[in-house]
Amino acid sequence: AQSVTQLDSQVPVFEEAPVELRCNYSSSVSVYLFWYVQYPNQGLQLLLKYLSGSTLVESINGFEAEFNKSQTSFHLRKPSVHISDTAEYFCAVSGKSGYNKLIFGAGTRLAVHP
Amino acid sequence: GAVVSQHPSWVICKSGTSVKIECRSLDFQATTMFWYRQFPKQSLMLMATSNEGSKATYEQGVEKDKFLINHASLTLSTLTVTSAHPEDSSFYICSGLDRNTEAFFGQGTRLTVV
């Protein structure tokens, strides 16, 4: 079984400042890792994912996350945030075998202020 | 990316009635679909996993007779909330799994039972 812990429920930050959203996971098997973003009253959009290979993965809108196996972490970072990045961010994990159901963290509300 | 269409986006129903939510994968075949429930300001909780042509697998604590899931084709899964009560009011989200292990999410359905 897997579990995900997102250490911060809310992260306020000023526009153009850097941000890190923390995610730690627990699993007895090898996993895939994901970050999803959710805007109000909408479904989830995949931001980035780690399946294998390079431990640093990037999204097209400037976010990046690094898989750290020894620390069982997959923190999300952006060097300079925009107002439009304000949303709920979910870290998720799935096992590499079976039917790959996603287990989500509690979510982190990123609030970017001008 | 692939598209999952979920309908309706919002619905209000009277207590005791049933509501059906549809989830369609528009440009890929989803042999597996997941149904999640999300309470305000909380994470997504997996309710059940459905595989095309077979019975859904429900997570612990989810009443299978109350939340009927049908996955009759590779592009359509439905969730029927039977005899709905106010405590069933929530945001329901489906996702379809493609062959590349990526889950694509519907836009969600806001159910309000009055």
Side-chain angles (χ1 to χ4, degrees):
Chain A
Q2 295 88 36
S3 66
V4 178
T5 302
Q6 290 183 245
L7 297 167
D8 306 297
S9 60
Q10 297 185 62
V11 174
V13 64
F14 287 109
E15 193 173 18
E16 298 184 3
V19 70
E20 178 180 80
L21 307 184
R22 295 179 292 171
C23 172
N24 287 89
Y25 70 94
S26 173
S27 177
S28 57
V29 300
S30 297
V31 297
Y32 298 131
L33 293 157
F34 307 83
W35 275 99
Y36 286 88
V37 59
Q38 184 182 34
Y39 298 99
N41 293 311
Q42 295 187 27
L44 274 68
Q45 300 172 33
L46 179 66
L47 195 58
L48 44 75
K49 61 184 176 183
Y50 170 77
L51 303 181
S52 65
S54 173
T55 57
L56 183 67
V57 291
E58 299 177 347
S59 72
I60 58 174
N61 56 354
F63 284 94
E64 65 177 31
E66 186 162 19
F67 169 53
N68 188 317
K69 188 175 182 179
S70 62
Q71 296 186 5
T72 61
S73 67
F74 191 55
H75 301 330
L76 181 70
R77 303 184 184 92
K78 189 170 185 179
S80 177
V81 294
H82 302 288
I83 296 288
S84 59
D85 293 324
T86 295
E88 190 82 21
Y89 292 80
F90 293 97
C91 181
V93 63
S94 74
K96 288 188 176 182
S97 60
Y99 50 78
N100 295 324
K101 65 179 182 180
L102 286 166
I103 303 301
F104 286 87
T108 297
R109 172 72 177 169
L110 174 63
V112 181
H113 301 281
Chain B
V3 177
V4 172
S5 177
Q6 187 173 341
H7 178 80
S9 56
W10 60 270
V11 59
I12 301 174
C13 71
K14 291 185 177 181
S15 185
T17 62
S18 296
V19 174
K20 179 184 284 189
I21 302 170
E22 291 188 350
C23 182
R24 294 180 183 273
S25 57
L26 298 185
D27 49 4
F28 70 101
Q29 293 183 331
T31 54
T32 302
M33 284 193 174
F34 303 95
W35 287 95
Y36 295 86
R37 183 174 181 177
Q38 185 181 30
F39 291 104
K41 301 187 186 301
Q42 294 187 30
S43 188
L44 282 74
M45 300 301 297
L46 180 65
M47 299 174 65
T49 302
S50 72
N51 292 292
E52 185 263 338
S54 61
K55 290 185 178 180
T57 302
Y58 290 82
E59 296 298 305
Q60 190 173 9
V62 178
E63 300 175 61
K64 62 180 181 180
D65 294 329
K66 182 170 187 60
F67 298 100
L68 301 179
I69 292 173
N70 183 281
H71 193 165
S73 76
L74 288 172
T75 58
L76 175 63
S77 177
T78 61
L79 167 67
T80 301
V81 183
T82 63
S83 187
H85 292 285
E87 56 266 30
D88 298 324
S89 298
S90 190
F91 194 57
Y92 293 86
I93 305 176
C94 69
S95 75
L97 194 66
D98 76 353
R99 297 178 182 178
N100 297 317
T101 72
E102 182 170 345
F104 295 93
F105 287 80
Q107 307 95 313
T109 298
R110 173 74 60 194
L111 170 63
T112 302
V113 185
V114 298

